[in-house]
Amino acid sequence: LLVPRFSMFGGKKLKDLTEEDIRNYAASLVSATSMHGGLEADEPERPDPSAEVAQRQQLAQAIAQNAKDGDASGYTDAPDREAPPEAPVAALPEPELSAEEQARLQVLAELDRSQMPAVKKDGNIQKTIEHYTFADSQSSATITVEADKDLYEGAAEHVKEEQIEVLSKDKELVVILHGVPTTKAANTYADWTLRLAPLCHSVESERTSWKLRKGKISVKLTKKKLQDWKRAVQI
């Protein structure tokens, strides 16, 4: 026998039901079930909703933790592989220079050291020494001419003490190397001359000294005043 739903709750609408009405209705259902031989006995047992929710939460947390661990450690399924070693790169052999190219480079090297041509003056051939080294101290200045470096390769073997002439004045220095070939392979001899004037400051010319050692001529100038020279000659 079907009972209208409004009669189940004493004629009240669903929205007007109180908690006590719901408890009374639930108690009446239990009583009715026991009177009809347990209608719920044939129905399968339903799981506790709260327990099912808890299981789902635990499963979601486990999935999230696994994903987090995977991001932190990279791909854990595949083992780490070392990168293959790079093949060595063979050095390319330097191209061999022809005899003509070697001769050209030799000429250029000599021109870098002495570009001014030889000139004839007073019956003698003269060449200009274009390069030298300057060293300074409070009391003296040193001018150095290295034959193999400042003239040409091999010039040092032609420079002897008896060929060297040094002249100095208050603000001038002249160094002459007499009878030195104009080039390495030349049969022409010249007086190679270095002339520095005016010097940066005055010197005591009578105290000028020089020495020759392994093709290197060093001239020491004694200053009249203790002072630094920024360069050998005035600009």
Side-chain angles (χ1 to χ4, degrees):
L1 180 61
L2 296 176
V3 181
R5 59 180 182 177
F6 293 117
S7 63
M8 295 178 184
F9 306 116
K12 294 183 179 181
K13 295 182 180 182
L14 292 176
K15 65 179 181 178
D16 297 330
L17 292 177
T18 64
E19 186 177 352
E20 184 178 358
D21 293 334
I22 295 174
R23 284 200 300 267
N24 293 335
Y25 175 67
S28 65
L29 287 178
V30 173
S31 299
T33 301
S34 60
M35 290 176 59
H36 292 286
L39 295 177
E40 294 181 355
D42 297 335
E43 296 181 2
E45 184 179 0
R46 298 180 180 179
D48 187 359
S50 61
E52 184 177 357
V53 172
Q55 292 178 358
R56 290 181 180 179
Q57 291 177 346
Q58 293 177 358
L59 180 60
Q61 292 176 355
I63 294 174
Q65 184 64 34
N66 290 337
K68 182 178 179 181
D69 295 341
D71 292 339
S73 59
Y75 295 98
T76 56
D77 294 339
D80 294 336
R81 296 181 180 179
E82 296 182 357
E86 296 182 359
V89 179
L92 296 177
E94 295 184 0
E96 185 176 353
L97 299 178
S98 63
E100 182 180 354
E101 180 65 12
Q102 292 178 6
R104 187 183 71 85
L105 293 177
Q106 178 65 28
V107 171
L108 291 176
E110 293 181 359
L111 287 177
D112 286 341
R113 302 177 191 181
S114 180
Q115 297 182 10
M116 298 183 66
V119 295
K120 192 170 184 179
K121 184 177 180 181
D122 298 332
N124 297 325
I125 298 176
Q126 297 185 0
K127 286 276 291 183
T128 300
I129 299 176
E130 303 174 47
H131 308 284
Y132 62 91
T133 302
F134 169 71
D136 187 51
S137 68
Q138 281 284 315
S139 60
S140 64
T142 302
I143 306 298
T144 302
V145 176
E146 189 172 351
D148 283 347
K149 178 181 177 182
D150 299 323
L151 275 64
Y152 55 84
E153 187 69 31
E157 63 182 272
H158 300 286
V159 179
K160 310 298 181 183
E161 287 191 357
E162 58 270 17
Q163 297 172 261
I164 300 173
E165 182 180 1
V166 177
L167 305 172
S168 66
K169 297 180 181 180
D170 181 68
K171 299 189 72 173
E172 181 180 6
L173 172 67
V174 179
V175 178
I176 305 174
L177 308 180
H178 294 281
V180 177
T182 54
T183 62
K184 183 176 182 179
N187 293 324
T188 304
Y189 296 85
D191 293 338
W192 288 76
T193 304
L194 173 66
R195 186 182 303 274
L196 301 178
L199 294 173
C200 187
H201 296 285
S202 298
V203 299
E204 297 180 8
S205 58
E206 67 278 2
R207 298 183 61 183
T208 299
S209 61
W210 62 271
K211 64 181 179 180
L212 172 66
R213 180 183 178 87
K214 296 181 179 180
K216 183 184 297 185
I217 305 98
S218 299
V219 181
K220 183 178 180 181
L221 301 173
T222 301
K223 299 176 181 178
K224 284 188 175 181
K225 294 182 180 180
L226 299 178
Q227 57 187 327
D228 293 331
W229 289 13
K230 294 183 179 181
R231 58 189 64 87
V233 295
Q234 297 179 7
I235 296 178

